[in-house]
Amino acid sequence: MYELVFLSGTRAGEVVPVKSSLLAGRSPECSLEIPDPNASRQHARLIFDGTSLSIVDNRSANGTFVNERRINEPTRLKHDDIIRMGETRLRVQMRRTIANPTISSESSVFGFHDSEADLSQSIVLPMATLAGQSGLGDAADRRFAILLKAMNLSKDIDQLDRVLEGILEVMFELFPQVERGFLMLGNCVERLQPKAVRVRGGSPNPQETPRVSTSICRKALSERAAFLFNDSNPGDFDQGMSIVSLRIRSAMTVPLLVEQEILGLLQVDTTDRARAFTSRDLELAVAISQVASIALRNAQQLKRIENETRTRDNLCRFLPAPVAQQVIDGTLDLALGGKTYHGTVLFSDIVGFTRMSEEMPPEQVVETMNRYFERMVPCIRNEGGSIDKFIGDAIMAFWGVPIARGNSALQGCAAALAMQIALAGFNSAELAAGRRALGQGIGLNTGPVVAGNIGSPDALSYTLLGDTVNTASRIEHHAVREQVLVSQATWRELGGAGHGLRMPPISVRNKAEPLQLYSLRGLARDGGEIMLFLPVECERQRAWLIRRLADHSFVLLHPPALDLRGRVLTSALPEWPERNFGKVELLATMPAQNADGRLLRSQIRLSDPSLLGLLGPEPLVCALGWDALVR
């Protein structure tokens, strides 16, 4: 399934699932509204055919761009593509979903006519009869029934072993003289592996392996041809132990082929010279094997898909989907042991979780944390992050490992701000449902980490280790509610994109020198916008500035009952409280977003777009001591 993530504008952070084709534009009548003055009323069309997603410009005034290239014709979209309409940017994401197998009758390409017809002269042949041999007397009918049985193997493609055994079962029913049968998989002699053995009138010896001629197998595979052996004309068959000791008088070797792809070999034999196989038998065996080979390949493909899906699901627990796919494809090697990378590590936890868990029944604690994690994880994944682990109420995530793109600090900080914004909406829904609100602190650090498969051979886990990880955890322990603390290394790697306050140096365990930390409150994004998380007070109600747009207006997240017009906003930052940001000029109220819970988004303007220098080129200095910041 495809999703579109708004990266800029008043809808920034919103995720729109793509379930059908969409008309995108500034008009509220569009199925994908783009609230951007530089977008046309009907700007572009996104065409979804159920499997692929394309975009077509709709003769817009300013053009439609994909990865900053203007498109002039229909363009196929892929994961991580960036669409720009006006100044609004959206990222394309793919999410794996299980398709609904139900097909509506409305989708039928033919119709039904209800008038009655005379069926009295019709020939009725139950399908159950066709699948067996009952009622089919002569040899032609019996062989036809066996052919249907071979075709019916496709119903068992979810059970590879059953398909393999079924192929031999069909051969035994078709040729009464067959005494032994072997089915081997592989596309060359060196790779042939016995997968199914059958002996008429008894059980196969589990230690018995196919006794066949290497030369005839090699010839059958290389020439993609079936071979018939009779002891009166042995041809290439080895007359040693593989033939003489087993008293084989006649045998057929048939390659299993689908569209020239070799799946393996099938051999049946008999010790009865009087009932030797004929060339007609060989032709029939080839016909049956071709039908059975299709079922076999389908079963193999289904098995491979199941294994890949299981592997992908396991990898996606700690790697982004594109990275997991590279591991599956073999283009990225996650070898045992560890390697050193340069990345960014994030820790978050719930402030006061211990007390909360003591006051709530255990099942309610689990339900609350599951709802919380469900909202936080997409914030990390949407910024290309990987979840290392959940530690009780804490999350450990990382960026830049094992693929470094040089922007791990930027992505990690964006995810941290997104988590705080998402928690504000989450809490509004929790309070409306009569539950308690949560507060989280987040800490980030950037530097060298050791990452790899760590543990015992039977209990491996891909994780990160090192001083950078330990320091990130200790930084997080000092973050109070609604705060994101970053190390000096992380702040430096933001390259001027960060906005916030420089905190007083603080000593942490196992560090000889005090750490210089920064309280991150804003992050410059594309198009001149700044992502924010600024708690504010307005008429004694809590609200949050979450975006400064390119025109220096702001997006405010607030309770629906709050009348903003002419009201004053003051800072509610724990490290920089009670600063007056001035009166609000209400520009527009935005459509509700699911992620915002019971809160609304409004576009407002303030007299000082720098917010008293907080959004200036240099961080402000926090005048409070750490003892004034109560966790």
Side-chain angles (χ1 to χ4, degrees):
M1 182 181 101
Y2 287 91
E3 295 175 342
L4 300 174
V5 181
F6 278 86
L7 300 179
S8 62
T10 55
R11 298 182 69 177
E14 184 174 357
V15 179
V16 178
V18 179
K19 300 179 180 179
S20 61
S21 296
L22 301 170
L23 175 61
R26 193 177 73 250
S27 171
E29 298 177 356
C30 290
S31 49
L32 181 64
E33 184 180 355
I34 308 294
D36 187 321
N38 295 310
S40 298
R41 288 184 60 81
Q42 296 184 350
H43 195 103
R45 292 184 180 275
L46 289 128
I47 302 171
F48 180 57
D49 61 6
T51 57
S52 63
L53 181 65
S54 302
I55 188 168
V56 182
D57 184 68
N58 205 27
R59 298 182 180 179
S60 62
N62 296 320
T64 301
F65 295 79
V66 175
N67 299 326
E68 290 306 315
R69 297 183 63 180
R70 186 165 184 166
I71 62 171
N72 299 309
E73 56 187 18
T75 301
R76 175 76 70 86
L77 297 171
K78 61 183 182 300
H79 182 79
D80 272 348
D81 278 348
I82 304 296
I83 303 168
R84 180 167 66 83
M85 290 175 273
E87 294 303 320
T88 299
R89 290 169 171 79
L90 302 94
R91 182 172 61 235
V92 180
Q93 292 185 164
M94 290 190 67
R95 289 285 186 263
R96 185 173 58 83
T97 59
I98 300 173
N100 184 354
T102 304
I103 301 176
S104 169
S105 60
E106 296 177 358
S107 65
S108 177
V109 296
F110 61 87
F112 293 96
H113 187 60
D114 290 334
S115 61
E116 295 185 1
D118 182 9
L119 303 178
S120 60
Q121 302 303 313
S122 300
I123 298 175
V124 179
L125 185 60
M127 294 302 294
T129 302
L130 292 177
Q133 300 180 30
S134 175
L136 299 174
D138 58 32
D141 286 343
R142 188 176 64 83
R143 289 186 173 185
F144 176 67
I146 295 172
L147 178 60
L148 287 177
K149 186 171 184 178
M151 297 173 65
N152 208 33
L153 289 173
S154 294
K155 69 178 177 58
D156 293 324
I157 62 170
D158 59 335
Q159 302 177 56
L160 179 59
D161 292 343
R162 179 68 190 95
V163 172
L164 295 171
E165 295 169 359
I167 294 173
L168 287 179
E169 183 179 327
V170 167
M171 295 297 288
F172 271 66
E173 291 186 15
L174 185 61
F175 303 108
Q177 69 269 47
V178 169
E179 297 176 15
R180 295 189 320 152
F182 296 104
L183 197 154
M184 299 163 283
L185 297 183
N187 57 7
C188 64
V189 172
E190 292 74 18
R191 294 183 180 178
L192 283 177
Q193 295 183 354
K195 293 295 182 180
V197 180
R198 189 180 180 91
V199 177
R200 191 181 297 276
S203 300
N205 185 344
Q207 304 300 321
E208 185 177 18
T209 57
R211 305 280 187 90
V212 295
S213 167
T214 300
S215 59
I216 200 67
C217 288
R218 180 174 287 108
K219 191 170 184 179
L221 293 174
S222 62
E223 297 184 12
R224 290 177 165 80
F227 287 88
L228 170 65
F229 159 77
N230 286 317
D231 63 352
S232 58
N233 182 24
D236 289 331
F237 270 93
D238 182 7
Q239 285 293 299
M241 290 297 297
S242 60
I243 297 295
V244 176
S245 64
L246 297 174
R247 297 179 300 167
I248 295 175
R249 304 307 180 198
S250 184
M252 293 188 293
T253 303
V254 183
L256 301 172
L257 298 171
V258 177
E259 298 177 351
Q260 297 304 305
E261 177 188 357
I262 299 175
L263 306 180
L265 278 179
L266 170 66
Q267 177 170 313
V268 292
D269 58 48
T270 180
T271 60
D272 188 350
R273 182 182 289 111
R275 306 176 70 190
F277 300 113
T278 66
S279 59
R280 186 65 179 271
D281 291 334
L282 185 64
E283 293 174 359
L284 188 56
V286 169
I288 293 294
S289 71
Q290 288 177 340
V291 173
S293 294
I294 295 174
L296 175 58
R297 187 180 68 169
N298 290 341
Q300 290 177 320
Q301 289 179 335
L302 181 61
K303 190 73 172 179
R304 184 175 67 251
I305 291 172
E306 289 176 347
N307 290 337
E308 288 184 359
T309 300
R310 188 179 303 109
T311 301
R312 184 182 294 105
D313 288 343
N314 289 335
L315 289 172
C316 282
R317 290 190 298 112
F318 56 83
L319 292 177
V323 178
Q325 188 60 51
Q326 291 184 54
V327 176
I328 294 170
D329 295 340
T331 57
L332 179 65
D333 180 23
L334 293 181
L336 295 178
K339 294 182 180 180
T340 300
Y341 300 90
H342 185 84
T344 295
V345 182
L346 175 150
F347 279 89
S348 73
D349 78 341
I350 301 299
V351 177
F353 175 76
T354 301
R355 177 177 296 179
M356 183 190 78
S357 60
E358 291 173 350
E359 297 173 352
M360 295 171 59
E363 59 273 13
Q364 289 186 17
V365 174
V366 172
E367 291 173 1
T368 299
M369 295 314 301
N370 283 338
R371 289 195 302 272
Y372 164 76
F373 289 139
E374 188 177 355
R375 295 292 292 273
M376 296 301 111
V377 169
C379 298
I380 296 169
R381 293 276 170 84
N382 288 344
E383 292 295 338
S386 306
I387 306 294
D388 184 287
K389 60 175 70 73
F390 299 102
I391 314 167
D393 62 315
I395 301 173
M396 175 183 169
F398 58 88
W399 288 260
V401 180
I403 297 178
R405 294 187 172 91
N407 61 347
S408 68
L410 191 67
Q411 287 182 306
C413 288
L417 293 177
M419 290 169 69
Q420 294 288 22
I421 294 170
L423 187 61
F426 173 84
N427 281 337
S428 70
E430 291 290 286
L431 292 171
R435 296 186 286 263
R436 66 178 69 195
L438 304 179
Q440 69 179 348
I442 301 176
L444 296 100
N445 189 27
T446 302
V449 296
V450 176
N453 288 320
I454 296 169
S456 64
D458 58 345
L460 289 173
S461 175
Y462 190 87
T463 190
L464 272 62
L465 299 173
D467 180 66
T468 298
V469 178
N470 298 335
T471 302
S473 176
R474 288 166 190 144
I475 291 172
E476 182 272 321
H477 289 324
H478 293 279
V480 299
R481 294 172 184 266
E482 299 188 307
Q483 190 177 46
V484 175
L485 291 179
V486 304
S487 67
Q488 188 167 25
T490 301
W491 186 268
R492 188 184 303 116
E493 291 211 6
L494 292 178
H499 299 279
L501 293 97
R502 185 169 67 248
M503 304 298 292
I506 187 169
S507 298
V508 299
R509 185 164 54 90
N510 294 336
K511 283 288 185 181
E513 298 294 330
L515 294 180
Q516 179 60 67
L517 304 182
Y518 295 80
S519 178
L520 180 72
R521 291 300 175 180
L523 190 66
R525 306 302 301 232
D526 294 339
E529 295 189 1
I530 300 177
M531 185 180 188
L532 303 172
F533 183 72
L534 297 175
V536 294
E537 293 285 342
C538 182
E539 294 296 299
R540 297 184 179 180
Q541 296 190 61
R542 180 61 62 91
W544 298 266
L545 288 168
I546 61 172
R547 203 85 175 184
R548 193 183 81 174
L549 304 179
D551 63 357
H552 285 192
S553 64
F554 292 87
V555 178
L556 182 71
L557 201 60
H558 61 90
L562 178 59
D563 184 4
L564 295 170
R565 288 169 293 189
R567 307 299 184 183
V568 174
L569 291 187
T570 59
S571 167
L573 276 64
E575 71 276 12
W576 198 56
E578 300 179 355
R579 265 54 173 192
N580 189 325
F581 292 146
K583 292 184 178 181
V584 172
E585 179 188 352
L586 181 61
L587 302 179
T589 299
M590 311 309 300
Q593 297 187 17
N594 291 335
D596 294 340
R598 298 302 182 91
L599 302 176
L600 292 183
R601 291 190 181 202
S602 291
Q603 186 178 2
I604 66 171
R605 195 177 300 279
L606 297 169
S607 58
D608 181 5
S610 76
L611 301 180
L612 306 179
L614 183 62
L615 303 184
E618 296 295 331
L620 300 180
V621 176
C622 175
L624 300 178
W626 286 101
D627 56 349
L629 302 178
V630 180
R631 202 169 197 273

